[in-house]
Amino acid sequence: MGGGYSIHATDNIQECKDNMKALMLHHEYQHRHFDTLRRVFDVLNFSESKYVVLRNFEKMPDNVAVDSNHLDVDLLVDDYYEVKRILDGDSPQHFWSVSYENGEHRVVNTVSIGGHGVNFDVRHVGDNYLDKQWQQDILKRRFSSRTGIYIPSEEDHLFSIIYHAIIQKKVISDTYVKVMTKIGNFTAAQARDKIFLRGELDSFMERHGYEMVQPNDKTVGYFT
């Protein structure tokens, strides 16, 4: 048989959007717009994708200001592209050259909520943001909070905050000190003492067989 046509199917939702733009068909794409942050989590909860909000979730979803200047959401998910599709997240144009979709490392996705573009950092299993087994265990041990969003277990929350504060950040923020004193029963002095915190973190990671790993995302610090 001769002739015929070749058909190219896009690999993911971002490629679909970009191809439609290149073909000047972007006006045909129907973007998903969420009314509220609660609606975002309702849709995620209804899906089969596993996620947790890693931190700063205490006032979510109803008691946080939804705007592009003050809100960003840190997720850990089991499937990056599936959650990106569910949220209809856009890779910001100014990050395109270093985006995960372009073979690089940035995983920020802008989601339309209440007329605002809100950034979600979509960390995923295997991206070395944390040890892969720890990421899988965080998702396995997650639970639904009283406000209806999935969050890490108290132990995973505490030690992922310690890891983030002393391995990935230069300075321990007041926000993280409050978390550590509340759920770790540390004194304020202990929560600011990197040597003390490193000892606690090492014990936790050795107990579970986790390792410290350099993130694929080059914007995330590693022993900074």
Side-chain angles (χ1 to χ4, degrees):
M1 295 177 66
Y5 298 92
S6 296
I7 298 175
H8 171 69
T10 57
D11 294 325
N12 57 71
I13 190 66
Q14 189 67 48
E15 186 183 356
C16 173
K17 294 176 185 179
D18 294 338
N19 285 351
M20 289 183 75
K21 187 180 293 185
L23 294 168
M24 294 184 289
L25 294 172
H26 53 280
H27 57 282
E28 298 288 347
Y29 185 84
Q30 296 184 14
H31 285 273
R32 187 168 207 169
H33 301 284
F34 295 93
D35 294 332
T36 63
L37 185 59
R38 173 166 288 283
R39 181 59 181 154
V40 173
F41 287 112
D42 285 345
V43 171
L44 280 173
N45 291 343
F46 187 74
S47 75
E48 295 183 358
S49 293
K50 288 186 177 181
Y51 79 90
V52 294
V53 183
L54 283 170
R55 52 185 169 267
N56 302 326
F57 48 70
E58 289 78 6
K59 294 183 178 181
M60 293 184 188
D62 300 319
N63 296 309
V64 292
V66 176
D67 65 68
S68 53
N69 295 320
H70 298 97
L71 177 65
D72 63 301
V73 182
D74 295 291
L75 296 183
L76 171 66
V77 306
D78 61 343
D79 186 326
Y80 175 84
Y81 282 114
E82 178 63 9
V83 170
K84 181 182 180 75
R85 182 192 65 78
I86 292 167
L87 300 177
D88 200 5
D90 268 321
S91 299
Q93 199 61 42
H94 54 287
F95 288 147
W96 173 245
S97 63
V98 291
S99 69
Y100 183 64
E101 291 80 357
N102 199 36
E104 293 294 331
H105 56 272
R106 291 303 300 269
V107 291
V108 60
N109 282 266
T110 303
V111 179
S112 177
I113 307 174
H116 300 281
V118 176
N119 285 340
F120 283 62
D121 278 337
V122 186
R123 310 293 176 185
H124 55 282
V125 172
D127 67 357
N128 276 3
Y129 187 70
L130 297 168
D131 177 270
K132 183 177 180 179
Q133 186 59 55
W134 190 7
Q135 292 177 318
Q136 292 173 331
D137 288 344
I138 287 173
L139 291 172
K140 188 183 301 181
R141 294 189 287 252
R142 70 182 184 147
F143 70 98
S144 180
S145 72
R146 58 182 177 77
T147 57
I149 65 175
Y150 280 100
I151 61 176
S153 71
E154 195 167 87
E155 184 180 50
D156 285 324
H157 183 205
L158 173 62
F159 286 102
S160 64
I161 285 289
I162 295 174
Y163 189 98
H164 185 59
I166 69 172
I167 305 300
Q168 298 175 337
K169 294 287 187 181
K170 291 182 179 180
V171 178
I172 301 173
S173 74
D174 291 340
T175 300
Y176 300 153
V177 169
K178 288 179 182 177
V179 172
M180 289 186 274
T181 55
K182 181 178 180 181
I183 64 177
N185 293 318
F186 301 157
T187 66
Q190 288 173 327
R192 295 186 185 278
D193 184 339
K194 289 190 174 184
I195 294 175
F196 169 79
L197 294 174
R198 179 62 188 270
E200 295 293 305
L201 180 63
D202 284 347
S203 295
F204 166 79
M205 297 189 75
E206 288 171 11
R207 194 161 65 246
H208 290 281
Y210 303 148
E211 296 182 353
M212 295 178 185
V213 288
Q214 186 156 2
N216 297 343
D217 186 342
K218 297 178 178 62
T219 65
V220 177
Y222 186 62
F223 289 100
T224 54

